Amino acid sequence: QLVEKSLGCAWQDVFSELSTAPLASASVAQVHAARLRNGDDVVVKVIRPGIENTIAEDIKLLKWLAGLIEKHVAQGRRLRPREVVDDYEKIIFDELNLLSEGANATQLRRNFEHSPLLYVPRVYWEHTRSNLLVMERIYGTPVADVDVLRARNVDLKKLAERGVEIFFTQVFSHSFFHADMHPGNIFIAVDGTDHGKYIAVDFGIMGMLSEK
């Protein structure tokens, strides 16, 4: 229902297949496997209905707790917990706009377009909305599955070196970097010509650096 409401049409007008069981599920959204009518395999990321109200209530509670910590804990003022909560509030509400995430993915993809180090999946803008993101489906091995990577003859030393190079390139060359690079968001290609190449997903939180 949410997909159809966002697209303004029946889901079958856009997709030939759309799985009801999520591939992945997180706090503000979940991801479903799908296939476009042209045959492309994609994932559909959907914001949970009503999540804004839940987050607002949680932020309200966190601000109250931060105030107590500043007032009653010896190190409270030095740690500036209210500023931490304010920063988190901005980040979490930014994550609810999937148009912003799509733009982040598109920029990162452009930055690494001809790189042998990192692959960023394509965004299908014609089907993407503020609460709905349609993106190319990627196939890879989670970076934390070390035994599988070894079994597929991935050079772990080279993988580690490439990981550092990718991140430093984002930070110091592009001044635009993936700021949520936990193992759940990083995959490794283990087949074909891209063997050993990094694949990134989930672009809701990005960082930027000015020259200063």
Side-chain angles (χ1 to χ4, degrees), residues 34-194:
R35 179 168 290 150
L36 294 175
R37 290 179 64 86
N38 68 2
D40 289 358
D41 286 340
V42 295
V43 292
V44 179
K45 186 172 185 176
V46 182
I47 295 292
R48 296 184 183 282
I51 194 67
E52 297 93 338
N53 295 333
T54 303
I55 292 171
E57 288 299 314
D58 289 348
I59 293 291
K60 189 175 174 182
L61 179 60
L62 285 170
K63 287 183 175 180
W64 177 73
L65 288 169
L68 287 181
I69 290 168
E70 280 196 1
K71 190 173 182 180
H72 299 293
V73 177
Q75 297 288 330
R77 291 178 67 183
R78 182 181 67 81
L79 296 172
R80 300 185 294 184
R82 282 192 288 190
E83 288 185 36
V84 173
V85 175
D86 288 343
D87 192 43
Y88 175 72
E89 181 179 21
K90 181 182 183 305
I91 289 170
I92 194 70
F93 277 112
D94 282 350
E95 278 198 88
L96 298 183
N97 182 359
L98 295 183
L99 291 172
S100 176
E101 179 173 347
N104 291 338
T106 300
Q107 181 61 53
L108 193 64
R109 179 180 170 87
R110 190 180 296 125
N111 289 349
F112 283 89
E113 193 168 7
H114 302 294
S115 170
L117 301 174
L118 177 68
Y119 185 79
V120 177
R122 167 191 169 191
V123 174
Y124 288 80
W125 280 106
E126 63 272 33
H127 307 310
T128 293
R129 308 288 185 268
S130 61
N131 64 341
L132 186 77
L133 176 65
V134 179
M135 182 176 279
E136 172 190 1
R137 185 175 180 180
I138 57 95
Y139 296 90
T141 298
V143 72
D145 288 354
V146 175
D147 291 341
V148 176
L149 295 176
R150 282 201 180 102
R152 299 303 295 269
N153 297 315
V154 174
D155 186 331
L156 298 185
K157 181 175 183 292
K158 186 180 287 185
L159 198 66
E161 291 169 350
R162 283 178 171 175
V164 173
E165 185 177 350
I166 288 167
F167 188 68
F168 279 13
T169 298
Q170 290 179 75
V171 174
F172 297 115
S173 293
H174 304 154
S175 300
F176 182 74
F177 57 93
H178 197 306
D180 194 19
M181 293 184 72
H182 60 78
N185 288 340
I186 305 171
F187 296 81
I188 306 300
V190 294
D191 296 310
T193 56
D194 286 338

